[in-house]
Amino acid sequence: MGRLPLIGRLSFHEYLALLVGFSLLALETLLRSIILLLPKPIVNWFYERSQILFDRFTSVAKKRGQTVEEVVSNAVRTAKDFGELCSYYGYAHEEHVVMTKDGYLLTLHRVPEPKGQMPAPTPVNKPVVYLHHGLLMNSEVWVCLTDEERCLPFVLAEQGFDVWLGNNRGNKYSKKAVHRSPTSSKFWDYSLDDFAWHDIPDSITYILARTHVCSLSYIGFSQGTAQAFAALSLHPQLNQKVNVLIALAPAISPAGLSARVVDALMKASPTSVYLFFGRKAILSSTPTWQAIFYPPIFTYIIDGALRFLFAWRGDNIASSQKIAAYAHLYSYTSVKAVVHWFQIMRESAFQMYDDDVSTGGALHGRAYRPTRFPTRNITTPVLLVYGAVDSLVDVDAMLRELPEHTRVCRLEGYEHLDILWGRNVHKDVIPEVVNALRVHCETPDSMCVGMKVFERDNAEKR
C-alpha cells in the first residue's frame, strides 16, 4: 500500500494551512486563466481602474507634474531589458551566449567600458569582474537603480573594470536548451547542483577565454553567493580562476522563513512545494499580475509578501526605487531549485539535492545522508558583506561552513535587498566591494586613476 508522506508529520494548523494554500492557488489559477482570455483593452481598463482607486485612497490623489525622481523611476521601471537599462544611463553593453556542458544556453551581459565609450575592437588588459544574481532574479537587478552612483556595475565600469553579469538557466535570458524544450518538465529538472556543476564554471571559463586574463573577481548576491560557494567547493581548479569571492547578503543554510506556519509546513515536507506548484517554473503567473496592477499597488503587494515571509520592512529602500526595481525583481526558476532550498533549511546543512523524495529526509536511521558541498576546501579569498537585520543570514553558522580565511563585513540596519537597492549602498556597500577588489583583482594598476576619483567623491559625500 502506498504511503502518504505528510501523514503524521504535520500538525492540525499545518494541514489547515495546506488546505488554505491549495484553495488560494486554485483561485489564482482560475483568475489567471480568465485574465489570459480577456482582450487587451479590458486588461488595460482594469489597470486604469486600479490606478484611479489607488489615487483616490492615497496622498497622491492631487494631480501634479512628475518630479525628476519619478521620471527616472518610471524610465527604469518601464525599461524592457538589460540593454534598455544600460542605454538609459549611457552605457554600451554586449550580449554573449554560453552553452553549458549539459546543453543549456545562458546569456551573459557585459559592460566593457565607462559611460559614453564604445567597446574596444581588440581585448584590453583590464581587471575582470563577474556579478551573479539571486533566486528568482536575472542580471537586470544589478542595473535597475534610480541613480548611477548606487549602481555597482556602472561604478565598476568607471573604475576600469571589464564587467560581466551572469544569468541562471531557465530565467528570462536563458530559457533555452539544445535538447530540451522549456515547455517540458525535463527542462526544469535542475537545482543548485546544476548551477554549481555547469552554469557558474562554464560561464567563468567563457569569460576568461574571451578576455584573455587568468582570473576574475566574483561578486554574488544571495543565491548567487551560494552558487559560487558550491562551484568552488566542487571544482578545485576553479579556485585558481577566481581571485576573490565577494558575497553580498550571502546564503548557505538559512534558518528558515519568518512565517512560522509556512516554514513548518515546508520543512516538514519540502516536496509539498511540488504539490502546490508542479515540476516546471515556480510563480510563473507573476508577470501576468504585474501587468494588471498599477505599479504602486504591485509594490505594496511585494512589500507585504516580503514582510510576511521574511520580516523585511524595506525601510532603507526608497519608494521610487521599489517601484522601479520590483518590475525587474522576478524571473523564472525551477520548482526543484526552491525545493532544494527547503531541504537545506530543514537539515541546516549546505547539501546537494536529496533525490529521495519518498522519505523527504525526515526518517531517522536511514542508510545515507545527502552529500554536503565541501565548502571548507575553498582556497579563494572570501568576503561576506551582510546586513545585521537580515533574517536569512546566520553569520556564525555560515563561518562554520566556510574556510578560516573568510573575512566579514557587517552592515548595521541593513536587510537582504537593502544591499542591492538601499539608499546608501554607495556609501556602505560599494566602498567595501571596491576595496576588496583593489586588494585581490588581477592587473590592479589599471584601476589606480579610477580608484582615486572614487575615493575622493566618496569622501566628499560622507
Side-chain angles (χ1 to χ4, degrees):
M1 182 178 176
R3 184 179 62 82
L4 297 176
L6 295 179
I7 297 298
R9 289 163 52 190
L10 301 181
S11 68
F12 170 78
H13 295 293
E14 290 163 350
Y15 277 116
L16 181 61
L18 190 65
L19 178 61
V20 172
F22 273 123
S23 301
L24 291 175
L25 184 65
L27 177 61
E28 189 270 347
T29 302
L30 176 62
L31 291 175
R32 180 162 61 98
S33 300
I34 294 173
I35 291 170
L36 290 175
L37 295 174
L38 292 176
K40 190 172 181 179
I42 296 180
V43 174
N44 291 337
W45 183 87
F46 278 108
Y47 179 90
E48 292 168 358
R49 298 289 80 71
S50 69
Q51 178 178 357
I52 292 171
L53 288 173
F54 179 84
D55 288 345
R56 179 173 298 173
F57 293 105
T58 64
S59 60
V60 298
K62 294 180 180 180
K63 299 298 180 181
R64 54 180 172 79
Q66 284 189 318
T67 64
V68 173
E69 183 181 31
E70 290 170 334
V71 170
V72 174
S73 176
N74 187 60
V76 172
R77 179 184 65 82
T78 56
K80 295 179 181 178
D81 54 26
F82 184 89
E84 285 195 9
L85 288 164
C86 289
S87 297
Y88 179 75
Y89 285 111
Y91 287 86
H93 84 289
E94 297 176 359
E95 287 193 356
H96 298 254
V97 177
V98 179
M99 187 172 75
T100 65
K101 291 183 177 64
D102 59 344
Y104 282 81
L105 302 180
L106 312 179
T107 295
L108 297 176
H109 289 121
R110 184 186 190 187
V111 183
E113 300 291 344
K115 185 175 184 176
Q117 296 185 27
M118 297 303 295
T122 57
V124 179
N125 187 29
K126 282 187 170 188
V128 178
V129 63
Y130 175 76
L131 289 79
H132 204 90
H133 60 79
L135 178 66
L136 291 167
M137 294 179 173
N138 62 58
S139 56
E140 292 174 18
V141 298
W142 297 102
V143 292
C144 61
L145 287 96
T146 53
D147 51 80
E148 293 175 64
E149 66 178 355
R150 294 187 300 115
C151 184
L152 181 57
F154 297 158
V155 171
L156 295 178
E158 296 297 329
Q159 304 310 310
F161 279 96
D162 187 354
V163 182
W164 294 73
L165 304 96
N167 284 288
N168 283 340
R169 62 182 63 196
N171 80 6
K172 174 179 178 178
Y173 295 103
S174 303
K175 204 174 179 181
K176 191 172 181 62
V178 175
H179 305 296
R180 299 175 179 181
S181 167
T183 60
S184 70
S185 297
K186 289 184 178 180
F187 179 93
W188 301 99
D189 185 24
Y190 60 80
S191 67
L192 287 173
D193 298 358
D194 302 280
F195 300 148
W197 282 116
H198 301 294
D199 293 19
I200 297 300
D202 291 350
S203 295
I204 290 175
T205 298
Y206 176 90
I207 294 169
L208 295 181
R210 181 81 182 190
T211 56
H212 304 287
V213 298
C214 296
S215 67
L216 55 74
S217 305
Y218 186 107
I219 302 173
F221 172 77
S222 193
Q223 181 181 278
T225 70
Q227 293 177 214
F229 293 138
L232 291 169
S233 70
L234 295 176
H235 303 275
Q237 72 280 8
L238 193 62
N239 288 265
Q240 304 304 313
K241 300 178 181 180
V242 179
N243 50 55
V244 64
L245 165 55
I246 302 172
L248 306 180
I252 285 188
S253 53
L257 305 178
S258 296
R260 294 183 179 180
V261 172
V262 179
D263 183 68
L265 178 62
M266 295 302 109
K267 286 181 179 177
S269 179
T271 51
S272 60
V273 179
Y274 287 130
L275 298 176
F276 278 111
F277 300 106
R279 290 183 176 268
K280 294 183 180 180
I282 194 167
L283 300 177
S284 58
S285 62
T286 300
T288 301
W289 297 109
Q290 188 172 332
I292 289 292
F293 289 115
Y294 184 47
I297 296 177
F298 184 76
T299 298
Y300 283 151
I301 293 172
I302 297 299
D303 274 344
L306 295 176
R307 188 175 295 111
F308 173 70
L309 292 174
F310 306 111
W312 298 339
R313 299 184 60 83
D315 294 336
N316 292 332
I317 306 176
S319 296
S320 58
Q321 178 62 74
K322 290 179 181 179
I323 291 173
Y326 285 179
H328 303 276
L329 176 60
Y330 171 81
S331 198
Y332 299 99
T333 195
S334 69
V335 175
K336 185 176 181 179
V338 176
V339 169
H340 192 173
W341 274 114
F342 279 113
Q343 291 179 347
I344 289 170
M345 288 189 287
R346 180 196 58 212
E347 300 294 334
S348 298
F350 191 45
Q351 64 184 35
M352 297 184 189
Y353 182 79
D354 184 359
D355 292 290
D356 190 1
V357 295
S358 62
T359 64
L363 297 182
H364 296 290
R366 66 179 184 178
Y368 81 101
R369 186 193 73 181
T371 304
R372 296 192 182 192
F373 293 106
T375 48
R376 296 283 291 181
N377 297 336
I378 296 173
T379 59
T380 295
V382 178
L383 171 64
L384 308 181
V385 181
Y386 75 99
V389 289
D390 186 348
S391 62
L392 290 183
V393 176
D394 182 343
V395 72
D396 293 328
M398 196 171 294
L399 290 174
R400 289 193 293 269
E401 299 259 11
L402 294 172
E404 293 182 359
H405 59 258
T406 301
R407 295 194 304 111
V408 173
C409 173
R410 174 186 171 101
L411 300 176
E412 297 299 332
Y414 270 71
E415 296 176 336
H416 204 70
L417 293 174
D418 297 352
I419 291 181
L420 272 182
W421 303 323
R423 289 184 178 88
N424 294 316
V425 293
H426 59 301
K427 299 178 181 178
D428 301 325
V429 178
I430 294 179
E432 294 291 342
V433 172
V434 170
N435 289 335
L437 292 174
R438 176 166 52 185
V439 172
H440 297 287
C441 76
E442 189 175 323
T443 62
D445 290 344
S446 62
M447 297 172 59
C448 290
V449 175
M451 285 293 185
K452 291 177 181 178
V453 173
F454 175 80
E455 289 171 350
R456 182 198 65 201
D457 292 346
N458 193 56
E460 291 174 354
K461 289 166 187 170
R462 285 180 181 275

